[in-house]
Amino acid sequence: MVKETDTDRLMRQLLAAQARFAKAKARADQIVRPAREAREDAVRAALAIGISLRVAAQATGLSHERIAQIRDGK
């Protein structure tokens, strides 16, 4: 039987932590992406009916810069 060195153990723990992080990030992306898209849809609707950038920013929590990008179609 080969004894596991400290380096081997730390590498195994690092790889396990990276795998857990990747899983958690994938789960978070499933939640965050639809929420972001919904906020951007709300901004498009608000701008379409004449609501100002400032009010849209306050209502959605998006930055003025991001709202201007949405307005400009970026």
Side-chain angles (χ1 to χ4, degrees):
M1 184 170 133
V2 177
K3 183 176 180 184
E4 183 179 48
T5 65
D6 287 344
T7 303
D8 294 336
R9 181 179 50 79
L10 290 173
M11 283 301 294
R12 183 176 43 77
Q13 289 174 346
L14 174 63
L15 291 172
Q18 287 174 330
R20 286 192 308 270
F21 176 79
K23 280 180 158 178
K25 184 177 182 318
R27 283 193 304 267
D29 285 346
Q30 290 175 344
I31 295 167
V32 171
R33 187 170 294 124
R36 183 182 324 121
E37 290 169 358
R39 283 195 310 265
E40 290 176 358
D41 289 343
V43 167
R44 285 184 194 93
L47 294 174
I49 61 173
I51 293 177
S52 71
L53 279 170
R54 183 181 58 81
V55 172
Q58 289 175 338
T60 61
L62 295 173
S63 69
H64 289 69
E65 293 83 14
R66 181 63 188 129
I67 291 174
Q69 289 173 346
I70 293 168
R71 178 194 63 202
D72 298 339
K74 296 179 182 175

